[in-house]
Amino acid sequence: MEDNSLNHQNGSQMGPQAGAVGNNKQNEEVNTKSHYSIPGILHFIQHEWARFELERSQWEVDRAELQARIAFLQGERKGQENLKHDLVRRIKMLEFALKQERAKFHKLKYGTDLQQGDVKPPVIEESSEQGTDADQSYVQVTNSTWKQGRQLLRQYLQEIGYTDRIIDVRSTRVRALLGLNNNNGDHEENHNGGGGGGTGGGGTGLNGNESNKRASETQGRRTPAKKVQPSSLAEAMILDTEAAVMANLDFLSNTDVDMEDDDDMSDEVDIEQSDDMEDDVKLGKKALGDDVDAIALEVFNELNRLSEAEKKQDIKTEQTDWNKAIPKRPLGLGEDDNVDSSLGLGELAQLTVNNDAENTYEVASSKETCRKTWNAKYTLRSHFDAVHALAFHPTEPVLITASEDHTLKLWNLQKTVPAKKSASLDVEPLYTFRSHTGPVFCLAVSGTGEQCYSAGLDGTICCWNVPGANTDPYDLYEPDVLAGTLHGHTDAIWGLAVRGGAAANAGGDGQARLVSCSADGTVKLWSPHAKNQLQLNTYVSEQDGIPTSIDFVYDEPNHIVASYTSAHCVIFDLETGKPVVRLDPQLDPNVNAAARHINKIVCHPTLPLTVTAHEDRHIRFWDNNTGKVVHSMVAHLDAVTCLAVDPNGLYILSGSHDCSIRLWNLDNKTCVQEITAHRKKFDESILDVAFHPSRPYIASAGADGLAKVFV
Amino acid sequence: MSKMKMGDGSIILRRNRPGTKAQDYCRWPDEPFEEMDSTLAVQQYIQQLIRKDPTNIDLILKMPENQDEGVWKYEHLRQFCMELNGLAVRLQGECHPETCTQMTATEQWIFLCAAHKTPKECPAIDYTRHTLDGAACLLNSNKYFPSRVSIKESSVAKLGSVCRRVYRIFSHAYFHHRQIFDEFENETCLCKRFTHFVTKYNLMSKDNLIVPILEDENTPGESEA
């Protein structure tokens, strides 16, 4: 009845207007017929009433239609919610997989016992969290066995590639939803147009539409807050709600991930840095959230992209955080924790070799766009014990390694065996040099690459003819490979340097000159391929003790420089045998010289500059003419063990027992790149580094028995 | 990791710095196995025991508690192959392809070198080198032994065949270069340790252990020669 009366009122309201319109027309058209007949009026009213009834029924039909749509869309929303659960679950699964990965690496690192103690509990803890999180909306399940079973099931699903499938399912669903939504939009427009036509009465239709829209807007604005509100009237509003739901979905999944991340970090990483990463992640997420709020529709349309990106983003943020953590972590720690951290560091580096590379690339590119960064490419595994020294062939992609397992091995980087599951390549050795009866400590390759020299604990220098780069590893034994042995030192030999060879003229007779330094306190000069008189001279600096490392001075053909246990370095004249310059560290008398023990000395290829690597974590630069320190810097977190200058003299490579190698710009003495390369054996880690003299290779040798080549 | 605070607060760093004299090489205080937390702990521990007293075979082969047996066997075998280099170096000086044209121990078997695509009758010295090189490649293979803290069961099974092959180096040296063998054995006790090792972990059948190294114990002497 009310409806009716309303209609009547409507009718009466409309009546005069319509009447007025009709009146005007009739006035204009037929002015003379001034009187309405009663039947005519009645007929008009009847006619109008019928029209209104018709419209009313149309509206009712529309309303029914819209209600059907609402029901449909509500169903759709439920579907979305399920989808959300799927997404959340998938995220958890990914995280679980990540945990497992981490556990695996823990296992690698600490062995089975510690692994179970350290990693498993968090995993289980987390899994219980997972269980409740994911199922909160369904049922509150607190039964732990049920959860465990669920966990197990999840693992199985993961194993059979369920994750992949769920991604597919999700994307198809989203796509279907998207298509559907587009249809809705079209439909809506048509409908409105039809409605406008239906009302017929000129301006009123338009007005009605506008007010409708306004109403829907206000309601739409309200709905995101009360998303549970079931009924809404206009389609635009429904769209909004959907978008809001989707936005909420984003928030939900994001916050979940956020929390999980925090958990992860607190599990494994120390506090400072997890703070950092929290900030980062939250920032990112917030920005995302704002976007979603502002243009919910857009987000909805881009859901597909977003949700995929979301996945990547999550992984990426974690990765970058790890990478950030790598340089940061050791710095914030005390001496004792250092080792642990570097352990973790090694582990992380192992874990994300590629990411590491990416990160360093980014860092480098942000600083200087065209700088080359080095990435691990070849792993040389065949030594049974620490690799103590390595040297490249002057031109070929060939290198030789010397190890504590008493052997040297020859490697051709062009003969590789693809390693599984990694971007790096394994190389198998071409030849094994056997003659030493103790660990081999040092190695030098002649300028032609045809000879190499090695020495070690047994006090003998072996001169080798290097087999060709295409030798069959299982060829017959050629005793000629060992060209000769040099006897003269009475204790372990720790340093070798060679100059010249058949091609280059070093000593005036076209013969290679070899210098060696030994724990017997002497430095000796050899002519390794002479017919007689192999040993040419001996150099001793009584006041300085035992020489630790030796190199030729490149801008003075007749000079060599040796570092001593006194932390001094002495430049000798090869001819006279007399010290020319004594590089004085100007030691504080309170400082123990042993703390400044020099592990390695190298000369710059063009400048009168000597560089030394010290046990006290420093690298020092010396002026060969004045003998003074020109620069001194803390270069590593632990003893610096090895140095190499690139052939152009622009960069220095250093290695340390902190498990990392660092590349330094010689110009401004800044670290350009750090690579974690090897693991520790006792307290030793990296024992040698090298630049290829003519090709873009660098290499590191480690106490873990591996050598690595970076390109 | 192996840093240890001493009473006076100084830290022991177990490293050989350049310039270390041969007699001081690796002369640092022992580190308890429980305190070794690197991935190379087992190798460190074994080497520490050998350095201390190479004749104390029982102690060297005594596996620490909670140690994965596969890894224990694997690291021991690595150490054997590494130390066998010493025997190979000595053999290089005396075992020439002209005199030892085939890898033999007793007259019973000629061993074919498995390093080649089709096993070959390599001269003894080549057999020795190829076998050691092959063992180095296998034991360092990223495919079979990607980790040094856990080893797949299928890879552990490969250790037996490596043992059988490298043992032939001992037997060849014993039967053909007795002086080298005795000198080497006196210094290292390697063959004795190896024999105990493969017996203890059942990596080789007793029939194949033809070097009469356990004669002072209860093993058969030079029997099936």
Side-chain angles (χ1 to χ4, degrees):
Chain A
M1 277 307 289
E2 274 192 9
D3 265 358
N4 252 350
S5 66
L6 207 97
N7 271 335
H8 275 296
Q9 273 186 347
N10 271 348
S12 59
Q13 275 179 352
M14 292 293 282
Q17 277 185 346
V21 173
N23 202 5
N24 281 340
K25 281 182 186 168
Q26 275 169 345
N27 275 344
E28 283 167 14
E29 280 173 18
V30 256
N31 221 358
T32 45
K33 292 177 186 174
S34 53
H35 293 292
Y36 297 116
S37 65
I38 296 293
I41 289 164
L42 282 175
H43 177 76
F44 176 72
I45 288 168
Q46 264 180 341
H47 177 75
E48 283 294 87
W49 188 77
R51 223 185 77 207
F52 286 136
E53 279 293 29
L54 189 74
E55 274 178 14
R56 193 174 74 107
S57 63
Q58 266 180 351
W59 287 336
E60 255 156 11
V61 167
D62 284 355
R63 207 180 115 198
E65 246 176 34
L66 288 175
Q67 265 166 349
R69 269 211 68 70
I70 287 165
F72 173 65
L73 287 169
Q74 272 172 342
E76 206 58 72
R77 213 192 94 192
K78 233 167 216 169
Q80 286 302 319
E81 261 159 5
N82 287 342
L83 181 61
K84 183 194 81 182
H85 285 303
D86 274 352
L87 286 168
V88 170
R89 218 171 300 161
R90 194 180 55 76
I91 289 161
K92 309 258 178 188
M93 269 190 261
L94 282 171
E95 262 160 13
F96 180 69
L98 191 70
K99 286 254 151 161
Q100 276 189 322
E101 272 308 293
R102 282 186 188 163
K104 224 186 272 169
F105 279 96
H106 258 262
K107 202 176 164 192
L108 275 177
K109 209 62 217 178
Y110 300 109
T112 36
D113 285 348
L114 266 166
Q115 173 249 340
Q116 273 164 351
D118 267 355
V119 180
K120 277 282 152 94
V123 170
I124 291 161
E125 253 177 69
E126 196 220 46
S127 72
S128 61
E129 278 175 29
Q130 270 182 12
T132 41
D133 271 1
D135 301 320
Q136 240 167 6
S137 50
Y138 295 136
V139 214
Q140 281 286 3
V141 188
T142 44
N143 188 345
S144 64
T145 50
W146 194 81
K147 256 177 258 156
Q148 276 169 3
R150 204 186 153 78
Q151 193 62 43
L152 205 68
L153 185 69
R154 204 170 283 163
Q155 251 171 297
Y156 292 148
L157 289 173
Q158 238 171 299
E159 269 170 28
I160 60 162
Y162 180 65
T163 41
D164 290 343
R165 215 173 300 161
I166 211 161
I167 291 167
D168 287 345
V169 169
R170 190 206 49 183
S171 63
T172 44
R173 271 200 220 170
V174 168
R175 225 167 282 139
L177 210 101
L178 262 177
L180 211 131
N181 189 44
N182 285 342
N183 288 345
N184 284 350
D186 293 344
H187 195 75
E188 183 200 14
E189 273 173 12
N190 289 338
H191 217 275
N192 274 348
T199 33
T204 42
L206 238 156
N207 276 340
N209 258 358
E210 269 177 5
S211 63
N212 252 356
K213 269 188 186 166
R214 239 178 278 128
S216 71
E217 270 168 24
T218 47
Q219 278 192 354
R221 240 178 272 139
R222 221 185 305 135
T223 32
K226 300 185 198 172
K227 56 177 184 241
V228 218
Q229 195 179 39
S231 61
S232 40
L233 288 172
E235 297 193 349
M237 191 218 79
I238 291 158
L239 261 179
D240 275 359
T241 333
E242 264 182 13
V245 169
M246 293 323 292
N248 272 319
L249 184 149
D250 266 344
F251 282 134
L252 280 176
S253 49
N254 282 342
T255 43
D256 277 352
V257 170
D258 219 344
M259 278 157 56
E260 292 285 336
D261 276 356
D262 292 353
D263 285 349
D264 285 355
M265 286 309 160
S266 53
D267 276 347
E268 286 191 16
V269 185
D270 39 342
I271 306 147
E272 300 173 40
Q273 165 216 332
S274 73
D275 279 345
D276 282 354
M277 81 122 300
E278 237 180 279
D279 283 349
D280 285 351
V281 172
K282 274 184 183 153
L283 263 177
K285 297 279 151 74
K286 243 178 231 162
L288 202 129
D290 285 343
D291 271 359
V292 170
D293 256 345
I295 359 166
L297 267 172
E298 214 176 275
V299 171
F300 183 65
N301 282 332
E302 288 174 6
L303 172 69
N304 207 358
R305 205 144 47 87
L306 243 179
S307 53
E308 237 137 75
E310 175 202 346
K311 183 179 101 198
K312 283 178 196 158
Q313 227 178 19
D314 286 347
I315 295 165
K316 222 179 171 182
T317 42
E318 285 211 39
Q319 282 172 358
T320 46
D321 288 322
W322 284 349
N323 289 335
K324 253 184 259 158
I326 289 167
K328 245 184 217 170
R329 209 198 282 195
L331 291 174
L333 291 166
E335 270 280 318
D336 282 344
D337 296 336
N338 247 346
V339 186
D340 282 341
S341 71
S342 59
L343 240 176
L345 196 149
E347 174 201 340
L348 285 175
Q350 290 279 331
L351 200 128
T352 56
V353 178
N354 293 333
N355 306 332
D356 205 0
E358 265 173 38
N359 186 49
T360 45
Y361 174 75
E362 277 166 21
V363 167
S365 61
S366 65
K367 280 180 188 163
E368 198 179 294
T369 38
C370 55
R371 181 188 290 145
K372 170 163 177 57
T373 52
W374 301 88
N375 298 314
K377 178 141 184 215
Y378 305 99
T379 307
L380 278 47
R381 43 180 108 227
S382 189
H383 281 295
F384 285 120
D385 208 340
V387 182
H388 240 282
L390 49 76
F392 279 102
H393 188 280
T395 52
E396 301 294 321
V398 166
L399 78 160
I400 301 169
T401 52
S403 163
E404 281 187 23
D405 68 7
H406 307 190
T407 66
L408 287 79
K409 285 181 196 267
L410 175 73
W411 311 78
N412 183 347
L413 297 179
Q414 284 172 336
K415 286 192 172 179
T416 55
V417 183
K420 62 163 188 180
K421 282 196 276 181
S422 72
S424 72
L425 298 161
D426 274 11
V427 191
E428 287 199 354
L430 284 184
Y431 188 82
T432 304
F433 301 83
R434 290 187 173 88
S435 177
H436 285 289
T437 55
V440 189
F441 295 148
C442 47
L443 173 69
V445 175
S446 74
T448 58
E450 287 165 6
Q451 280 85 35
C452 76
Y453 311 91
S454 63
L457 194 71
D458 58 11
T460 315
I461 300 170
C462 291
C463 309
W464 308 91
N465 292 316
V466 179
N470 294 310
T471 311
D472 176 0
Y474 298 107
D475 212 346
L476 298 178
Y477 171 54
E478 294 282 347
D480 298 347
V481 171
L482 180 62
T485 51
L486 305 173
H487 300 274
H489 283 298
T490 58
D491 209 323
I493 299 170
W494 283 93
L496 279 178
V498 70
R499 188 169 232 203
N505 189 328
D509 53 3
Q511 288 283 331
R513 289 287 180 270
L514 182 71
V515 286
S516 60
C517 69
S518 163
D520 64 11
T522 62
V523 172
K524 286 181 189 291
L525 175 70
W526 311 83
S527 175
H529 300 289
K531 294 279 181 293
N532 44 28
Q533 208 204 355
L534 298 168
Q535 187 183 325
L536 298 175
N537 215 338
T538 301
Y539 311 90
V540 179
S541 179
E542 295 287 352
Q543 55 180 330
D544 291 317
I546 292 172
T548 59
S549 179
I550 194 161
D551 199 9
F552 280 95
V553 179
Y554 289 96
D555 62 333
E556 285 281 347
N558 264 331
H559 287 178
I560 55 164
V561 61
S563 58
Y564 280 87
T565 46
S566 67
H568 287 68
C569 306
V570 179
I571 296 178
F572 290 102
D573 187 304
L574 287 175
E575 296 290 319
T576 65
K578 296 276 182 293
V580 184
V581 185
R582 194 153 174 266
L583 308 183
D584 186 1
Q586 290 165 326
L587 279 179
D588 181 343
N590 296 324
V591 175
N592 183 5
R596 288 206 184 172
H597 185 97
I598 301 172
N599 286 318
K600 180 79 177 179
I601 188 164
V602 291
C603 279
H604 193 273
T606 51
L607 302 171
L609 186 73
T610 295
V611 191
T612 51
H614 294 254
E615 190 74 13
D616 67 357
R617 305 178 295 168
H618 281 73
I619 294 177
R620 292 189 171 84
F621 300 80
W622 313 72
D623 186 322
N624 285 351
N625 299 320
T626 64
K628 295 277 185 291
V629 175
V630 291
H631 187 75
S632 173
M633 62 183 185
V634 175
H636 280 275
L637 303 166
D638 203 339
V640 188
T641 54
C642 44
L643 286 173
V645 186
D646 89 310
N648 302 317
L650 299 174
Y651 293 96
I652 292 180
L653 194 60
S654 64
S656 160
H657 288 320
D658 70 4
C659 300
S660 72
I661 62 174
R662 289 186 177 195
L663 186 68
W664 303 87
N665 187 330
L666 193 60
D667 201 26
N668 51 17
K669 313 282 194 300
T670 53
C671 181
V672 178
Q673 193 180 352
E674 180 187 11
I675 309 168
T676 304
H678 293 278
R679 297 176 182 184
K680 285 207 168 197
K681 184 193 168 199
F682 285 113
D683 288 316
E684 297 185 338
S685 174
I686 290 166
L687 297 166
D688 200 8
V689 288
F691 275 101
H692 194 289
S694 57
R695 289 175 187 248
Y697 292 116
I698 58 172
S700 64
D704 56 3
L706 304 180
K708 289 188 178 176
V709 177
F710 305 82
V711 295
Chain B
M1 66 186 64
S2 46
K3 279 175 190 171
M4 189 170 75
K5 295 268 188 197
M6 292 300 279
D8 57 358
S10 68
I11 292 165
I12 296 175
L13 285 174
R14 292 179 174 82
R15 48 178 74 141
N16 299 296
R17 296 180 182 87
T20 303
K21 286 182 176 292
Q23 59 177 16
D24 296 326
Y25 182 71
C26 289
R27 264 185 58 185
W28 48 61
D30 283 350
E31 183 177 26
F33 181 65
E34 309 79 57
E35 286 176 24
M36 296 181 184
D37 50 1
S38 89
T39 48
L40 308 175
V42 181
Q43 186 190 24
Q44 289 178 20
Y45 179 65
I46 293 170
Q47 290 183 344
Q48 184 171 287
L49 291 174
I50 294 171
R51 215 170 276 131
K52 208 169 164 193
D53 182 7
T55 62
N56 194 347
I57 288 165
D58 289 337
L59 181 64
I60 294 169
L61 294 180
K62 185 169 176 280
M63 189 168 79
E65 279 177 38
N66 302 324
Q67 173 59 44
D68 180 288
E69 190 176 294
V71 175
W72 178 250
K73 290 192 280 194
Y74 168 74
E75 288 292 347
H76 262 294
L77 190 54
R78 279 180 72 104
Q79 185 69 22
F80 283 119
C81 291
M82 179 173 141
E83 291 188 53
L84 266 166
N85 269 323
L87 188 57
V89 167
R90 287 166 200 248
L91 286 174
Q92 275 178 179
E94 193 186 292
C95 178
H96 299 296
E98 301 82 42
T99 52
C100 299
T101 54
Q102 293 164 330
M103 186 62 169
T104 54
T106 62
E107 298 307 312
Q108 199 179 357
W109 299 100
I110 296 170
F111 299 116
L112 299 184
C113 182
H116 311 275
K117 280 194 188 100
T118 50
K120 249 166 79 176
E121 260 184 59
C122 280
I125 189 63
D126 289 314
Y127 185 98
T128 302
R129 293 174 56 91
H130 295 170
T131 301
L132 289 179
D133 290 348
C137 283
L138 179 71
L139 295 178
N140 284 295
S141 153
N142 202 22
K143 187 175 163 198
Y144 297 112
F145 302 99
S147 158
R148 286 176 72 173
V149 290
S150 72
I151 291 173
K152 286 178 295 197
E153 211 41 56
S154 60
S155 300
V156 174
K158 298 214 171 285
L159 300 181
S161 66
V162 176
C163 287
R164 252 186 300 116
R165 289 192 188 126
V166 299
Y167 183 77
R168 292 165 191 163
I169 302 169
F170 286 119
S171 56
H172 176 78
Y174 180 81
F175 289 103
H176 295 269
H177 310 279
R178 185 65 184 269
Q179 200 190 340
I180 287 180
F181 179 87
D182 287 344
E183 283 172 18
F184 184 72
E185 188 61 20
N186 280 341
E187 269 180 43
T188 61
C189 295
L190 194 66
C191 185
K192 194 174 174 198
R193 197 200 323 155
F194 189 85
T195 310
H196 277 275
F197 170 71
V198 293
T199 312
K200 182 170 180 182
Y201 294 104
N202 207 16
L203 291 162
M204 281 173 68
S205 76
K206 283 229 166 95
D207 300 343
N208 288 328
L209 298 170
I210 54 178
V211 177
I213 202 81
L214 303 174
E215 57 200 357
D216 47 338
E217 289 155 51
N218 55 355
T219 24
E222 297 175 64
S223 52
E224 57 269 68

